[in-house]
Amino acid sequence: MIGYTLLGLIVAVVAYAIWAYNALVRNKNLVAEGWSGIDVQLRRRADLIPNLIETVKGYAAHEDKLFRDIAELRTKSIAGGTVAEQSAVGQAMSQALGRLFAIAEAYPELKADANFRDLQDKLAQTEDEIQMSRRYYNGAVRNLNTMIESFPSNLVAKQFAFEKAEFFEIGDAAARDVPKVDFKTR
């Protein structure tokens, strides 16, 4: 009787180890899939930027430094890198594009240009897709990291050298701050 109990316990432990290993592999692959989604959207944004720059250049040629900065950020984005590096480049790119759109506000004929509006709409749609991809990726990272840190799956994770993944976070600490609203009249 003790032999069957011991055999049953061993079978249960082995079955759990197999399940935990497969779950860790599945979560690791979901993280890779999530990163791939972010990468696709970052490339799409990088592909739209030269067209947007050329359209704006015709109206605001004197903004050469901003155009060079955006081109440099685009190159860094295409080059890839770690999650933290891509996050920092993405944050800087969003700020630079914000400055570009602020410049466009000063040129009513540019804002009326159909090509510019189309590019602006595509870029806005791409930014939304990047945000959705980030959420998916971060959810997959959360699930993987939870399994790696939770007992008893952490034993399997440690045995097979699974490593925690890095979240895709906002690079600018000021962007995380809650805005202050003051309704007092002075």
Side-chain angles (χ1 to χ4, degrees), residues 55 59 108-118:
T55 303
Y59 292 92
E109 58 279 353
L110 174 59
K111 287 187 344 187
D113 183 278
N115 189 32
F116 177 76
R117 284 195 325 265
D118 182 50

Side-chain angles (χ1 to χ4, degrees), residues 25-172:
V25 168
R26 182 175 44 257
N27 284 322
K28 181 180 170 189
N29 289 335
L30 287 173
V31 168
E33 176 189 359
W35 181 249
S36 174
I38 290 174
D39 192 47
V40 165
Q41 295 307 322
L42 291 175
R43 291 227 182 257
R44 182 172 178 225
R45 177 171 66 178
D47 291 343
L48 286 170
I49 287 171
N51 296 329
L52 187 65
I53 294 292
E54 287 305 314
T55 303
V56 175
K57 266 186 183 179
Y59 292 92
H62 60 282
E63 296 292 344
D64 203 38
K65 181 182 177 345
L66 176 61
F67 299 145
R68 282 194 312 271
D69 290 348
I70 291 173
E72 181 182 318
L73 289 169
R74 178 182 180 268
T75 301
K76 287 180 182 177
S77 178
I78 290 172
T82 66
V83 173
E85 291 168 346
Q86 280 292 336
S87 181
V89 169
Q91 182 70 25
M93 180 69 78
S94 294
Q95 291 172 350
L97 289 173
R99 290 194 318 265
L100 182 69
F101 288 128
I103 289 169
E105 290 292 318
Y107 295 90
E109 58 279 353
L110 174 59
K111 287 187 344 187
D113 183 278
N115 189 32
F116 177 76
R117 284 195 325 265
D118 182 50
L119 288 168
Q120 192 175 19
D121 289 345
K122 285 181 182 173
L123 196 56
Q125 179 185 6
T126 301
E127 292 295 329
D128 290 343
E129 293 289 329
I130 290 170
Q131 182 60 29
M132 287 189 324
S133 296
R134 283 178 186 163
R135 272 184 261 158
Y136 178 84
Y137 172 80
N138 283 340
V141 167
R142 178 199 61 230
N143 292 343
L144 175 65
N145 291 350
T146 299
M147 279 202 73
I148 289 173
E149 293 176 343
S150 298
F151 182 80
S153 61
N154 65 340
L155 301 174
V156 176
K158 196 174 291 184
Q159 182 68 32
F160 291 99
F162 282 91
E163 294 181 10
K164 287 175 59 176
E166 196 173 339
F167 285 100
F168 197 110
E169 298 182 300
I170 296 174
D172 182 13

